[in-house]
Amino acid sequence: MILSLLSLLTLSEPEGPHRFVFLGAGRFAQYADLASLEAQGEGGRIRVFQVVEPHFRAGGTSYWGGWSWWRFDCGARGHVDRLDFVAVREGGEEGPATLDDAPSYEAVQGGDAFEIVVAACNPGDYDTDATTLEEAVTQGRANLAVGD
């Protein structure tokens, strides 16, 4: 168990270009990075970026949003488990990972987690929306503005 937690903390951004696909916008704009997709049995893991609105600040620091690794299952129940969260400051500097120990849950249609499962289980159905984090942030903020 300790080894698995340590390996989670040392996961880094995938090498090479990203393959961001837009999942939707609500409180945040969500982008799955299909380049990070790791198949494992009938599911796997994928990294998702949440874009925050422009000028979002916490503790006096400006942020672009944050990354999370998600474990998902493509079976009939479509369970997901958010594994961590890493805040990303303006400019791209990542903070330390905070483990998410909440239990896995069923991804229900209409929710953000459902969109993650659909994209992760059907990556060939998606066109790439952005290949850099900066592009995803710019597009995500534009999508958030549409909802205002």
Side-chain angles (χ1 to χ4, degrees):
M1 179 70 163
I2 292 174
L3 181 58
S4 118
L5 292 176
L6 289 175
S7 65
L8 177 63
L9 289 172
T10 60
L11 289 174
S12 61
E13 191 172 325
E15 294 294 322
H18 295 282
R19 185 176 167 221
F20 287 110
V21 298
F22 178 62
L23 301 177
R27 183 173 173 205
F28 307 105
Q30 300 260 25
Y31 285 83
D33 184 2
L34 294 179
S36 71
L37 184 62
E38 298 174 3
Q40 297 171 345
E42 290 187 26
R45 294 185 330 149
I46 191 166
R47 204 168 189 214
V48 176
F49 192 75
Q50 294 178 316
V51 178
V52 296
E53 63 192 25
H55 312 295
F56 178 91
R57 296 178 69 81
T61 302
S62 297
Y63 288 89
W64 278 349
W67 284 106
S68 290
W69 277 101
W70 290 78
R71 180 166 287 125
F72 63 91
D73 133 26
C74 297
R77 298 192 62 190
H79 274 89
V80 295
D81 187 5
R82 182 175 170 171
L83 303 174
D84 69 353
F85 180 79
V86 178
V88 177
R89 293 171 190 81
E90 287 280 343
E93 181 184 344
E94 294 186 18
T98 302
L99 295 177
D100 186 330
D101 60 1
S104 66
Y105 58 95
E106 187 175 342
V108 295
Q109 192 164 2
D112 293 340
F114 182 80
E115 297 302 325
I116 293 169
V117 171
V118 171
C121 295
N122 303 285
D125 293 349
Y126 289 80
D127 292 328
T128 301
D129 293 309
T131 58
T132 68
L133 187 57
E134 293 84 358
E135 288 174 344
V137 169
T138 299
Q139 289 177 21
R141 287 180 170 174
N143 285 317
L144 288 170
V146 170
D148 289 344

